[in-house]
Amino acid sequence: MYDTIIIGSGPAGMTAALYAARSNLKVGMIEQGAPGGQMNNTSEIENYPGYDHISGPELSMKMFEPLEKFEVEHIYGIVQKVEDFGSYKRIFTEDSSFDAKTVILATGAKYRLLNAPGEETYTSRGVSYCAVCDGAFFRDQDLLVVGGGDSAVEEAIYLTQFAKSVTIVHRRDQLRAQKILQDRAFANEKISFIWDSVVEEIQGDNIKVSKVLIKNVKTEEVTSHDFGGVFIYVGMLPVTAMVSELDICDNEGWVVTDDQMKTAVPGIFAIGDVRQKNLRQITTAVGDGAIAGQGVYHYIENMK
Ligand code: FAD
Ligand code: NAP
């Protein structure tokens, strides 16, 4: 029986593991990929205190290394379901199950699909959701970035180091991204914008992307543009399928917690991007992780 099982080893999960392990709890952390979560998908982190600039994979490693000093058990697996038995919880992966007095859900968020015709056909053949992973494959090409938030603008700037040009298509005439990112994008000679427009269809020669049909939402005019790659950043969706039967999510699937990261089910905590919250950042994820890592200690003490 674990004191706590943490699901997900992004910044939220790793911080919770650090705090819980320092309280001498028996901690298991289940992860389906590399530690770091979404941080692994970004090259530039400039708003994490203490670092003027650090790459996502490097910050991931820096958060992971201190865990080696403690007996956090790293378990590879994809969690399918969490069941509540009151005094303990059972966590199911594809081929195992684990019992724990508490669960900390730190499963974060995943990319929202555009659901445009051609998107699925050309995924990994010119359509990408990760500039850091795929950007270098698009040297000297004309690229399209879809979206107007922090991710779209930041990754468009990143792509300019490889691409001949980067066009951002946004459905409104104003970006959602932070002002500092907007200013950098407007000042970048390789970046141009198509405003008030959406992707109508991604086309190619069956091998890779070659054209994108773009519709102006005000005039309804559809125009065809040559692009060698399309990077889609139209927001995130919560990763909560494994707790869908527990009634702890809002209508959009984000987990509702109090300020102690407690969900409606006693002993189940949720932290980081998976929570219903206003600001989804590394700083807020680690803050949530610290509170829950400490919270599970008090919860277990009170059970005694
Ligand atoms: P995540 O980082 O999403 O980690 C969740 C983890 O849970 C993942 O490792 C995942 O594999 C695992 N998981 C999910 N489901 C399961 C399952 N069923 N079984 C096992 N494991 C599972 N924030 C900043 O502050 N500054 C930035 O510069 C910045 N840049 C960004 C750039 C991009 C392109 C993106 C996408 C995000 C960026 N963010 C940035 C946001 C930041 O990365 C997130 O807010 C943060 O990573 C959230 O941390 P988390 O631990 O809650 O979740
Ligand atoms: P986001 O902030 O939700 O922005 C999504 C963008 O996509 C919005 O501009 C939205 O348009 C647009 N969009 C949504 N659905 C669309 C559709 N179907 N068709 C066309 N456009 C669509 O998502 P994000 O940029 O991925 O950011 C997610 C979180 O990570 C945020 O909290 C963000 O602050 C954080 N993040 C932070 C940094 C950083 O701090 N440097 C970097 C990256 C991400 P509207 O504007 O019209 O809604």
Side-chain angles (χ1 to χ4, degrees), residues 6-15 29-49 54 56 59 75-81 91-94 105-111 129-132 150-152 154-155 178 181 233 235-237 239-242 271-275 277 279-286 288:
I6 299 164
I7 310 173
S9 66
M14 288 195 282
T15 309
M29 187 157 65
I30 308 180
E31 170 59 54
Q32 63 189 1
Q38 293 170 58
M39 292 193 298
N40 286 315
N41 295 342
T42 187
S43 62
E44 300 280 337
I45 294 169
E46 296 179 348
N47 54 3
Y48 191 72
I54 186 166
L59 186 57
I75 303 160
Y76 171 79
I78 302 173
V79 173
Q80 312 278 336
K81 195 173 179 190
I91 300 100
F92 296 88
T93 61
E94 320 93 297
L105 191 69
T107 45
K110 63 179 180 195
Y111 297 118
Y129 304 85
C130 180
V132 174
D150 285 340
S151 294
E154 189 169 67
E155 301 312 310
Q178 300 163 46
L181 294 175
Y233 290 103
M236 310 296 287
L237 295 171
V239 180
T240 47
M242 71 294 292
I271 57 176
D273 274 16
V274 75
R275 282 179 64 215
K277 68 198 301 198
L279 185 62
R280 293 194 172 85
Q281 294 272 284
I282 301 163
T283 46
T284 57
V286 301
D288 291 358

Side-chain angles (χ1 to χ4, degrees), residues 18-304:
L18 182 66
Y19 275 69
R22 287 173 66 97
S23 297
N24 239 357
L25 299 183
K26 181 171 162 55
V27 181
M29 187 157 65
I30 308 180
E31 170 59 54
Q32 63 189 1
Q38 293 170 58
M39 292 193 298
N40 286 315
N41 295 342
T42 187
S43 62
E44 300 280 337
I45 294 169
E46 296 179 348
N47 54 3
Y48 191 72
Y51 295 97
D52 185 33
H53 159 101
I54 186 166
S55 80
E58 199 183 344
L59 186 57
S60 300
M61 280 298 91
K62 286 196 182 292
M63 287 190 189
F64 184 72
E65 277 158 16
L67 300 181
E68 311 265 42
K69 282 190 249 153
F70 299 96
E71 288 185 18
V72 175
E73 193 179 325
H74 300 284
I75 303 160
Y76 171 79
I78 302 173
V79 173
Q80 312 278 336
K81 195 173 179 190
V82 177
E83 277 185 13
D84 176 35
F85 294 96
S87 60
Y88 72 98
K89 326 289 166 197
R90 184 160 291 161
I91 300 100
F92 296 88
T93 61
E94 320 93 297
D95 48 15
S96 304
S97 70
F98 306 86
D99 289 350
K101 293 174 193 163
T102 62
V103 167
I104 302 178
L105 191 69
T107 45
K110 63 179 180 195
Y111 297 118
R112 189 202 299 272
L113 301 181
L114 194 55
N115 290 322
E119 178 180 8
E120 196 183 342
T121 310
Y122 288 105
T123 292
S124 303
R125 296 196 282 151
V127 172
S128 170
Y129 304 85
C130 180
V132 174
C133 320
D134 301 331
F137 300 124
F138 292 88
R139 245 168 239 286
D140 299 323
Q141 301 205 30
D142 296 309
L143 302 180
L144 183 70
V145 170
V146 189
D150 285 340
S151 294
V153 176
E154 189 169 67
E155 301 312 310
I157 296 166
Y158 174 80
L159 286 168
T160 57
Q161 67 185 298
F162 310 108
K164 182 157 58 156
S165 74
V166 177
T167 303
I168 296 177
V169 59
H170 183 37
R171 64 184 178 182
R172 293 186 291 130
D173 63 359
Q174 277 185 340
L175 297 172
R176 175 181 294 279
Q178 300 163 46
K179 182 81 172 52
I180 188 170
L181 294 175
Q182 294 196 24
D183 290 346
R184 276 186 209 163
F186 292 141
N188 191 313
E189 286 180 353
K190 280 194 180 178
I191 297 180
S192 58
F193 293 85
I194 301 178
W195 301 108
D196 297 315
S197 298
V198 294
V199 170
E200 186 83 343
E201 186 175 345
I202 298 168
Q203 299 180 335
D205 55 7
N206 282 325
I207 297 170
K208 66 181 285 296
V209 167
S210 58
K211 284 188 192 311
V212 180
L213 300 185
I214 293 176
K215 182 169 94 178
N216 183 303
V217 291
K218 288 191 169 156
T219 64
E220 304 254 306
E221 186 191 0
V222 177
T223 47
S224 174
H225 304 254
D226 291 342
F227 288 112
V230 182
F231 286 78
I232 297 172
Y233 290 103
V234 292
M236 310 296 287
L237 295 171
V239 180
T240 47
M242 71 294 292
V243 292
S244 59
E245 289 173 22
L246 290 179
D247 203 16
I248 57 174
C249 300
D250 68 12
N251 289 340
E252 291 176 4
W254 304 102
V255 181
V256 179
T257 73
D258 64 10
D259 62 6
Q260 295 305 303
M261 309 303 138
K262 292 177 181 166
T263 69
V265 177
I268 299 186
F269 296 68
I271 57 176
D273 274 16
V274 75
R275 282 179 64 215
Q276 183 193 70
K277 68 198 301 198
N278 288 330
L279 185 62
R280 293 194 172 85
Q281 294 272 284
I282 301 163
T283 46
T284 57
V286 301
D288 291 358
I291 293 169
Q294 186 70 4
V296 291
Y297 170 78
H298 290 299
Y299 179 88
I300 291 165
E301 283 297 298
N302 286 335
M303 281 171 84
K304 286 178 185 166

